[in-house]
């Protein structure tokens, strides 16, 4: 570190390794009193002088400069320290520290200094008294600043500086401080310390102040965390302008272009495939056109026999025309795609579906749609209306939606398929209904995390340490489903939770209850989770058959995790005219 010339005419190149020593009187002076860049050399020089009190230092000059080296600092005219390396030492000698043999060098002149250890241990040491006052005063400076008493903090800092100058001068002349020369400094510092005590700058007061400060910071942190959660949830639920534009453009195209609607007449040709149990049937329930397109496209491109793959898509009435238009305008490597809207399911009504019945309840409406309910005690994520969406709960009615199918793979719209999934249809579920990847590698994903075990119904029927599993890629045996009346089990628990005392959030908790004892674990490589909220092992990503962007950071949002977006982007043709028109990128 090069510094400007000091008042004593020295320029320093300093090397200061770590070593065990007592803090010197001038240590951290710059931090306490502050100094300008112009006086940096002066402060450093005083700090180096202070090292004499803690074991001395050695100045090394390059041999080729023909300059002597020794113990001292600018006090001997024939010792030149320009461009030298000043090495701080502890209480051991130079030879002991660096393993140098104890022999005399022609250019070395070692001079005796003050025995600092004896001086500081002496009960009559004035230097020790000053050092102790300085240490206490530094603590009071911090407390004074915390109390916003800046004038008193400045007075303490000034007196600390005066006391440190006395210690520096004593170090330079290598003689102990006398009572006479230090009396004024000790008395002035004592008066300031007494004044600090009168201001209650003691340990107990400081502890109380710190506790109050910590409490205030915790309240600020909680407030910021709550706001962050709310804004994050809003960002996660927003519809990007580009996707909104795409939906509008496709809807317009559907009603304007008669050629697209001509595709409906060809539905008779694919009707046989929709009910053929020898084919591989997949279903997606979504109102997101682009995300659903990625699911279908990635499945088709990674399928060994895409012409044997059938996709059953269910959306809502708002997005039905746009979804139909998109999958009519684009081909997916021979995959059969059928689009329906759940409003056409006449059996899906409030007399049969508990969720629809609960939506008619005023308390439920207030809970999910009123911004002033329960004074914000319930986190916003628990009150998201999407959890009452039929597109979310339709997964519990799959046998009714597809009455002739026997086996089916359910996919969420936030997944990417990387492998051929045909082997899933030959998996033996051992009499179970649901084939899923378990997520209980950590305690976070066990039943007690999702359910309220203070409720007697939950406590009586479910093991709190039972292993959780994930929706997003599930194999359903619909024959067993109908035989076990799984939808009826779901209805029972959904009705019991009308007051939201069994669980708070989403469709996974009722799924855990509904399929309890009816779930067959699958190899974890079939379904890799976490790409929407955490870091995932790269090896798992490479081996995973289905990658799931569960979490708020969906790949089509600005808040999506950038490093995982390419895995999703590669299944989108950004050169498509409609995508370019809507600035989808």
């Amino acid at each position: 570190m090069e510094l400007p010339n000091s008042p004593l005419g020295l320029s320093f190149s300093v090397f200061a390794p770590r070593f065990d020593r007592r803090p010197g009187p001038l240590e951290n002076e710059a931090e306490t009193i502050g100094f300008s860049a112009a006086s940096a050399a002066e402060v450093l020089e005083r700090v180096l002088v202070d090292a004499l009190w803690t074991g001395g230092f050695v100045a090394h000059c390059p041999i080729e400069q023909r300059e002597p080296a020794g113990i001292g600092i600018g006090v001997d005219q024939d010792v030149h320290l320009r461009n030298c390396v000043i090495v701080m030492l502890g209480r051991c000698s130079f030879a002991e520290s660096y393993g140098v043999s104890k022999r005399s060098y022609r250019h070395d002149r070692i001079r005796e200094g003050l025995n600092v250890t004896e001086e500081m241990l002496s009960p009559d040491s004035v230097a020790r008294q000053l050092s102790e006052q300085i240490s206490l005063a530094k603590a009071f400076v911090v407390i004074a600043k915390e109390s916003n008493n800046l004038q008193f903090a400045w007075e303490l800092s000034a007196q600390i500086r005066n006391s440190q100058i006395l210690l520096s001068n004593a170090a330079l002349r290598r003689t102990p401080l006398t009572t006479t020369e230090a009396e004024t400094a000790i008395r002035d510092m004592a008066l300031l310390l007494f004044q600090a005590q009168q201001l209650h700058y003691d340990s107990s007061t400081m502890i109380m102040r710190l506790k109050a400060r910590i409490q205030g910071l915790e309240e600020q942190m909680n407030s910021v965390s709550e706001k962050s959660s709310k804004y994050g949830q809003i960002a996660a639920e927003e519809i990007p302008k580009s996707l909104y534009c795409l939906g509008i453009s496709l809807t317009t195209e559907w009603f304007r272009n008669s050629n697209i609607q001509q595709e409906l007449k060809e539905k008779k040709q694919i009707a046989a495939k929709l009910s053929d149990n020898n084919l591989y049937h997949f279903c997606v329930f979504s109102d997101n056109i682009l995300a659903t397109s990625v699911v279908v496209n990635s499945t088709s491109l990674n399928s060994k026999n895409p012409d044997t793959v059938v996709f059953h898509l269910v959306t809502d009435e708002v997005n039905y025309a746009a979804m139909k238009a998109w999958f009519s305008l684009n081909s997916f490597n021979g995959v059969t795609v059928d689009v329906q809207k759940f409003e056409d399911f006449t059996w899906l009504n409030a007399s049969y579906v508990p969720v629809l019945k609960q939506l008619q309840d005023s308390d439920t409406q207030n809970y999910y749609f009123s911004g002033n309910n329960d004074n914000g005690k319930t986190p916003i994520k628990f009150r998201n209306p999407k959890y009452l969406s039929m597109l979310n709960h339709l997964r519990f009615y799959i046998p009714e939606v597809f009455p002739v199918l026997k086996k089916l793979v359910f996919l969420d719209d936030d997944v990417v398929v990387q492998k051929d999934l045909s082997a899933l249809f030959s998996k033996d579920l051992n009499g179970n209904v649901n084939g899923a990847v378990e997520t209980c590698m950590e305690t976070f994903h066990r039943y007690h995390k999702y359910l309220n075990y203070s409720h007697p119904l939950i406590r009586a029927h479910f093991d709190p340490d039972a292993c959780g599993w994930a929706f997003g890629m599930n194999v359903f045996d619909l024959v067993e489903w109908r035989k076990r009346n799984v939808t009826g089990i779901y209805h029972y628990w959904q009705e019991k939770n009308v007051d939201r005392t069994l669980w708070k959030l989403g469709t996974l908790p009722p799924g855990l209850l509904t399929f309890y004892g009816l779930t067959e674990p699958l190899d974890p490589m079939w379904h890799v989770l976490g790409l929407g909220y955490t870091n995932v092992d790269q090896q798992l990503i490479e081996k995973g058959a289905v990658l799931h962007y569960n979490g708020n950071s969906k790949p089509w949002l600005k808040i999506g995790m950038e490093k995982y977006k390419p895995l999703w982007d590669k299944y989108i043709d950004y050169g498509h005219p409609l995508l370019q028109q809507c600035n989808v990128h």
Side-chain angles (χ1 to χ4, degrees):
M1 177 177 66
E2 295 294 337
L3 295 175
N5 289 344
S6 72
L8 293 181
L10 305 180
S11 64
F12 299 101
S13 178
V14 180
F15 166 69
R18 294 185 61 179
F19 49 89
D20 183 20
R21 63 181 181 85
R22 292 170 59 93
L26 290 179
E27 188 168 313
N28 295 328
E29 180 189 10
E31 180 182 347
T32 304
I33 64 174
F35 60 94
S36 64
S39 61
E42 180 181 0
V43 173
L44 177 60
E45 186 173 81
R46 287 164 57 193
V47 172
L48 292 176
V49 170
D50 181 43
L52 287 172
W53 290 95
T54 59
F57 60 88
V58 171
H60 291 278
C61 297
I63 297 299
E64 62 270 18
Q65 289 184 258
R66 303 295 182 185
E67 293 181 345
I71 298 178
I73 180 165
V75 295
D76 198 359
Q77 294 301 321
D78 59 354
V79 178
H80 303 286
L81 296 181
R82 289 186 181 276
N83 301 319
C84 296
V85 178
I86 299 177
V87 182
M88 298 293 189
L89 299 180
R91 294 191 180 88
C92 58
S93 69
F94 173 78
E96 291 170 338
S97 298
Y98 294 92
V100 180
S101 60
K102 295 183 179 180
R103 61 185 180 88
S104 60
Y105 289 84
R106 183 177 58 178
H107 298 294
D108 290 353
R109 290 171 49 178
I110 302 175
R111 299 165 55 188
E112 294 295 330
L114 179 66
N115 190 324
V116 180
T117 302
E118 291 183 3
E119 173 68 14
M120 296 304 291
L121 291 178
S122 171
D124 301 323
S125 171
V126 177
R128 187 178 72 172
Q129 186 176 355
L130 268 180
S131 297
E132 291 173 351
Q133 283 187 329
I134 289 172
S135 298
L136 186 57
K138 286 181 178 180
F140 285 149
V141 167
V142 175
I143 301 174
K145 289 180 179 179
E146 186 69 26
S147 304
N148 205 30
N149 192 346
L150 301 182
Q151 175 64 28
F152 187 61
W154 180 86
E155 292 176 3
L156 281 171
S157 298
Q159 190 56 44
I160 289 171
R161 182 168 61 251
N162 292 337
S163 298
Q164 289 173 332
I165 290 173
L166 285 175
L167 293 173
S168 299
N169 292 336
L172 283 171
R173 67 172 185 260
R174 296 181 179 81
T175 58
L177 272 175
T178 64
T179 305
T180 303
E181 61 183 327
E183 181 180 2
T184 302
I186 292 174
R187 184 184 67 251
D188 292 346
M189 182 69 85
L191 288 173
L192 287 173
L193 296 178
F194 177 76
Q195 185 178 348
Q197 291 177 345
Q198 295 302 307
L199 292 171
H200 302 291
Y201 288 172
D202 51 24
S203 299
S204 59
T205 303
M206 186 58 181
I207 290 172
M208 292 177 63
R209 289 179 181 273
L210 288 176
K211 284 184 177 180
R213 181 64 173 162
I214 290 171
Q215 184 177 357
L217 290 174
E218 286 179 347
E219 291 175 356
Q220 291 180 23
M221 182 185 68
N222 292 337
S223 175
V224 171
S225 297
E226 183 180 352
K227 289 180 181 178
S228 175
S229 176
K230 288 181 179 179
Y231 296 151
Q233 196 68 39
I234 292 171
E237 298 304 323
E238 71 169 350
I239 300 176
K241 290 182 180 179
S242 56
L243 296 189
Y244 181 78
C245 168
L246 180 62
I248 295 297
S249 299
L250 285 169
T251 302
T252 303
E253 190 71 17
W254 172 259
F255 289 108
R256 185 179 61 185
N257 192 338
S258 59
N259 292 330
I260 300 178
Q261 297 195 31
Q262 186 67 26
E263 297 288 336
L264 287 174
K265 297 180 181 180
E266 299 179 7
K267 191 172 183 179
K268 295 180 180 178
Q269 300 176 7
I270 66 171
K273 283 190 172 184
L274 298 180
S275 57
D276 187 349
N277 281 294
N278 293 317
L279 302 179
Y280 304 124
H281 294 269
F282 298 84
C283 71
V284 180
F285 305 143
S286 174
D287 57 1
N288 189 321
I289 300 165
L290 194 63
T292 304
S293 177
V294 169
V295 177
V296 175
N297 196 32
S298 61
T299 304
S300 68
L301 292 176
N302 291 292
S303 176
K304 294 177 181 177
N305 299 294
D307 56 322
T308 62
V309 173
V310 180
F311 263 94
H312 303 264
L313 310 181
V314 180
T315 187
D316 55 18
E317 191 164 15
V318 173
N319 294 281
Y320 177 69
M323 194 82 77
K324 290 285 292 184
W326 179 260
F327 286 98
S328 297
L329 285 169
N330 299 282
S331 61
F332 294 88
N333 203 26
V335 168
T336 300
V337 180
D338 179 55
V339 181
Q340 302 180 75
K341 61 179 186 288
F342 72 81
E343 287 86 353
D344 289 340
F345 304 149
T346 56
W347 49 266
L348 206 62
N349 52 63
S351 62
Y352 178 62
V353 179
V355 169
L356 293 179
K357 183 179 180 180
Q358 290 167 15
L359 271 174
Q360 298 176 352
D361 180 69
S362 59
D363 289 340
T364 302
Q365 291 176 1
N366 287 334
Y367 181 81
Y368 285 103
F369 300 103
S370 172
N372 301 319
N373 189 48
D374 73 2
N375 296 320
K377 293 179 181 178
T378 305
I380 188 173
K381 67 178 182 178
F382 293 130
R383 299 169 58 190
N384 194 329
K386 79 171 186 178
Y387 296 120
L388 293 179
S389 165
M390 277 314 304
L391 288 176
N392 267 320
H393 286 266
L394 205 58
R395 66 192 67 191
F396 296 106
Y397 299 95
I398 289 177
E400 285 92 333
V401 177
F402 312 110
V404 299
L405 297 183
K406 296 180 179 179
K407 205 165 194 177
L408 176 142
V409 171
F410 166 80
L411 295 173
D412 267 337
D413 63 0
D414 54 353
V415 305
V416 167
V417 177
Q418 293 193 133
K419 311 284 184 185
D420 178 70
L421 301 182
S422 58
L424 286 172
F425 291 85
S426 59
K427 287 285 181 183
D428 184 3
L429 299 184
N430 297 312
N432 289 309
V433 177
N434 173 31
V437 170
E438 293 183 329
T439 57
C440 58
M441 286 71 74
E442 301 174 7
T443 182
F444 176 82
H445 296 290
R446 296 189 182 273
Y447 269 49
H448 64 77
K449 184 63 181 180
Y450 301 100
L451 305 173
N452 177 20
Y453 273 86
S454 65
H455 197 289
L457 264 179
I458 297 295
R459 196 165 56 248
H461 290 86
F462 303 99
D463 178 7
D465 291 323
C467 192
W469 46 268
F471 274 126
M473 197 291 299
N474 305 81
V475 186
F476 290 122
D477 185 335
L478 301 184
V479 175
E480 284 294 325
W481 185 313
R482 298 181 184 100
K483 187 187 300 183
R484 304 287 189 104
N485 189 24
V486 172
T487 301
I489 299 173
Y490 161 72
H491 283 173
Y492 172 81
W493 289 112
Q494 192 68 45
E495 289 170 353
K496 291 293 183 182
N497 194 48
V498 65
D499 55 357
R500 299 174 298 279
T501 56
L502 303 186
W503 71 85
K504 291 282 187 185
L505 173 68
T507 53
L508 181 56
L512 295 175
L513 301 183
T514 301
F515 294 102
Y516 184 71
L518 299 174
T519 299
E520 180 70 16
L522 299 178
D523 188 305
M525 291 302 100
W526 282 112
H527 187 190
V528 176
L529 297 110
L531 278 75
Y533 73 95
T534 188
N535 292 318
V536 182
D537 190 320
Q538 185 61 34
Q539 291 185 348
L540 291 178
I541 292 176
E542 293 172 358
K543 295 178 181 178
V546 175
L547 305 181
H548 196 169
Y549 291 82
N550 57 312
N552 284 341
S553 302
K554 304 298 185 188
W556 56 84
L557 298 176
K558 291 181 180 179
I559 62 173
M561 299 181 72
E562 289 294 334
K563 62 181 177 180
Y564 299 138
K565 279 189 176 182
L567 299 169
W568 191 79
D569 285 340
K570 68 180 181 180
Y571 295 107
I572 300 175
D573 177 15
Y574 286 108
H576 193 287
L578 283 174
L579 298 186
Q580 290 189 337
Q581 175 185 323
C582 291
N583 197 27
V584 177
H585 55 79

